Amino acid sequence: MNSVYRAVMDSSVNPLRTLPAAQRFQLMLFLSVMWTNIFCLSAGAWIWYGELIVFHVLVAAGVIITGLVFQQAAMTSAYRTYRHFPLKDGTARYDDVWGG
């Protein structure tokens, strides 16, 4: 159970690990807010409708969105931008002038 939890919740283990720390944080924040909304809406739907159908649809949608985010992160990790290939003469790239 611990390995399953880490595979989803630990950004140093899941497919987001190859992204920069700021993007990792943003995507993990988005996913956490999405899952919080899913469970809150599911609890509210239980009171209003008394059926578990809404809960199952929301959980399925959350799993699909999380999977798509992880899949996209895994695909873009193989794609490297020009900043990953420095010039041979050592000059700075466009946005590397300020040390970024």
Side-chain angles (χ1 to χ4, degrees):
M1 188 69 173
N2 191 22
S3 62
V4 174
Y5 173 80
R6 289 188 70 216
V8 175
M9 299 303 292
D10 189 357
S11 62
S12 64
V13 176
N14 66 26
L16 302 178
R17 69 183 174 274
T18 58
L19 297 175
Q23 288 179 347
R24 242 185 317 188
F25 173 74
Q26 290 171 343
L27 287 173
M28 289 298 287
L29 181 67
F30 167 77
L31 291 173
S32 69
V33 169
M34 178 191 72
W35 280 107
T36 300
N37 284 321
I38 286 172
F39 288 116
C40 288
L41 290 171
S42 298
W46 177 261
I47 292 169
W48 288 333
Y49 299 112
E51 299 290 333
L52 289 175
I53 294 172
V54 175
F55 173 73
H56 285 97
V57 169
L58 289 172
V59 169
V63 168
I64 290 170
I65 291 171
T66 302
L68 290 173
V69 168
F70 283 1
Q71 181 182 22
Q72 186 66 29
M75 288 174 30
T76 57
S77 66
Y79 175 72
R80 298 180 67 159
T81 63
Y82 68 93
R83 288 183 285 174
H84 295 97
F85 303 101
L87 294 176
K88 293 181 182 14
D89 63 358
T91 58
R93 296 288 186 162
Y94 299 110
D95 59 350
D96 293 338
V97 174
W98 300 106

